[in-house]
């Protein structure tokens, strides 16, 4: 065994062994991550001494909220929760109506390259802006109404549904698409008969998952006064009526978990189909 010329490796007989890869880039990246983490902790004004009081404070507030909940507020809490769910549903439907055709155009092989690039950039920009910022912009036109929250959820949903949509389209099998084209089908017919039947189950799953996200986001949007359970939570929290806040949190958790469970079951049924049942002889 002898070193090769130029120090690029080691010769073992007539076989050149590769040189050991340099780990300089990995070490530099690790050092950069450490520096960023340290600077993040250094720049945030964290009162570390108060962390020791956190467990006792959490227990105290949990007692204030759930020791004696104000159940007389339950009907109003259910009504405001329904408004939040309706806001989420409307935002989801509007997002689907806009994002679905745009995702078809943004998919590779189904839309012009300039259009694809513009739509993908649009989806990325929308996803970079939180719903609450979008709602603040929209409320200057529509005011503090549930419609503002629904429109904000719809706009944000266009970014996520559009991205999920064109990625699903680009992952389908080429067989049906080629068959429609070989039969002389137009671009619209290719999308209708070659693409849409393949992506419909994935799209249905995406729509349900987006509805789940919108249900949770609608409560957050209520913090800026667009209505719903979040608006009610903000009001009673500001007045420190913790027994009412406890009832509101119970309603939010129960409704959200129920919607997530139902949506999850539907998504599994769409993607996996019905389970086969054993036939008794």
């Amino acid at each position: 065994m002898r070193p090769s010329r130029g120090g690029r490796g080691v010769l073992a007989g007539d076989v050149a062994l590769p040189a050991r890869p340099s780990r300089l880039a990995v070490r530099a990246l690790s050092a950069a991550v450490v520096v960023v983490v340290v600077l993040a902790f250094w720049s945030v004004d964290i009162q570390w001494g108060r962390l020791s009081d956190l467990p006792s404070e959490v227990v105290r507030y949990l007692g204030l909220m759930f020791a004696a909940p104000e159940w007389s507020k339950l009907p109003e809490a259910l009504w405001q929760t329904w408004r939040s769910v309706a806001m989420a549903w409307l935002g989801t439907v509007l997002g689907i109506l806009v994002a679905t055709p745009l995702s078809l155009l943004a998919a590779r092989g189904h839309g012009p390259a300039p259009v694809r690039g513009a739509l993908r950039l649009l989806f990325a920009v929308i996803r970079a802006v939180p719903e609450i910022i979008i709602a603040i912009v929209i409320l200057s036109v529509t005011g503090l109404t549930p419609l503002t929250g629904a429109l904000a959820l719809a706009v944000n949903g266009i970014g996520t549904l559009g991205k999920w949509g064109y990625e699903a389209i680009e992952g389908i099998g080429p067989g049906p698409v080629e068959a429609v084209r070989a039969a002389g089908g137009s671009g619209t017919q290719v999308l209708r008969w070659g693409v849409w039947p393949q992506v419909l189950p994935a799209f249905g799953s995406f729509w349900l998952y987006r509805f789940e996200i919108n249900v949770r986001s609608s409560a957050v949007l209520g913090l800026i006064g667009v209505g719903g359970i979040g608006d009610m939570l903000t009001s009673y929290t500001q007045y420190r009526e913790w027994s009412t806040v406890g009832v509101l949190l119970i309603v939010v958790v129960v409704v959200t978990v129920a919607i997530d469970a139902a949506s999850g079951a539907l998504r599994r049924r769409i993607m996996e189909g019905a389970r086969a049942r054993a036939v008794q002889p």
Side-chain angles (χ1 to χ4, degrees), residues 25 36-37 78 132 255 271:
V36 170
V37 172
L78 292 174
I132 195 166
V255 172
M271 298 303 295

Side-chain angles (χ1 to χ4, degrees), residues 206-231:
F206 296 156
W207 296 342
L208 288 171
Y209 184 55
R210 183 64 209 185
F211 175 61
E212 294 177 26
I213 295 173
N214 285 348
V215 169
R216 292 187 288 269
S217 299
S218 63
V220 178
L221 289 177
L223 299 178
I224 64 174
V226 297
I229 193 66
D231 194 2

Side-chain angles (χ1 to χ4, degrees), residues 8-78:
R8 296 183 179 179
V10 178
L11 291 175
D14 295 332
V15 180
L17 300 179
R20 179 177 297 179
S22 174
R23 300 186 60 84
L24 180 61
V26 176
R27 292 172 181 172
L29 180 61
S30 301
V33 171
V34 172
V35 170
V36 170
V37 172
V38 171
L39 290 177
F41 277 98
W42 186 269
S43 59
V44 178
D45 186 16
I46 301 177
Q47 299 179 6
W48 298 101
R50 299 191 61 181
L51 290 178
S52 60
D53 300 330
L54 183 60
S56 60
E57 288 296 311
V58 170
V59 172
R60 184 171 75 88
Y61 279 103
L62 288 176
L64 292 173
M65 288 188 290
F66 301 114
E70 186 61 48
W71 293 110
S72 62
K73 300 294 184 180
L74 182 60
E76 183 181 1
L78 292 174

Side-chain angles (χ1 to χ4, degrees), residues 61 65 144 220-226 229-246 248-249:
Y61 279 103
M65 288 188 290
L144 292 174
V220 178
L221 289 177
L223 299 178
I224 64 174
V226 297
I229 193 66
D231 194 2
M232 193 176 177
L233 264 171
T234 303
S235 300
Y236 283 102
T237 302
Q238 289 176 344
Y239 290 107
R240 298 183 178 275
E241 297 187 19
W242 301 115
S243 58
T244 302
V245 173
L248 300 181
L249 291 178

Side-chain angles (χ1 to χ4, degrees), residues 38-252:
V38 171
L39 290 177
F41 277 98
W42 186 269
S43 59
V44 178
D45 186 16
I46 301 177
Q47 299 179 6
W48 298 101
R50 299 191 61 181
L51 290 178
S52 60
D53 300 330
L54 183 60
S56 60
E57 288 296 311
V58 170
V59 172
R60 184 171 75 88
Y61 279 103
L62 288 176
L64 292 173
M65 288 188 290
F66 301 114
E70 186 61 48
W71 293 110
S72 62
K73 300 294 184 180
L74 182 60
E76 183 181 1
L78 292 174
W79 167 244
Q80 294 298 336
T81 302
W82 166 250
R83 295 185 69 186
S84 293
V85 174
M87 186 192 311
W89 177 254
L90 179 59
T92 303
V93 172
L94 293 176
I96 290 170
L97 293 177
V98 177
T100 301
L102 294 182
S103 63
L104 294 172
L105 291 175
R108 189 176 294 107
H110 301 285
V115 175
R116 291 201 310 268
L119 288 176
R120 295 187 182 205
L121 178 61
L122 176 64
F123 296 154
V125 171
I126 291 175
R127 292 196 309 275
V129 183
E131 294 98 336
I132 195 166
I133 303 300
I134 299 175
I136 291 173
V137 175
I138 294 176
L139 66 82
S140 61
V141 178
T142 59
L144 292 174
T145 64
L147 177 61
T148 302
L151 291 176
L153 294 173
V155 172
N156 191 266
I158 291 171
T160 54
L161 291 174
K163 177 179 173 57
W164 295 341
Y166 75 72
E167 288 181 347
I169 293 170
E170 292 177 353
I172 63 175
V177 175
E178 294 175 354
V180 176
R181 286 176 176 165
S186 63
T188 304
Q189 291 172 330
V190 168
L191 291 174
R192 172 62 184 88
W193 303 108
V195 175
W196 186 248
Q198 295 190 75
V199 299
L200 184 56
F203 272 42
S205 178
F206 296 156
W207 296 342
L208 288 171
Y209 184 55
R210 183 64 209 185
F211 175 61
E212 294 177 26
I213 295 173
N214 285 348
V215 169
R216 292 187 288 269
S217 299
S218 63
V220 178
L221 289 177
L223 299 178
I224 64 174
V226 297
I229 193 66
D231 194 2
M232 193 176 177
L233 264 171
T234 303
S235 300
Y236 283 102
T237 302
Q238 289 176 344
Y239 290 107
R240 298 183 178 275
E241 297 187 19
W242 301 115
S243 58
T244 302
V245 173
V247 172
L248 300 181
L249 291 178
I250 291 173
V251 172
V252 169

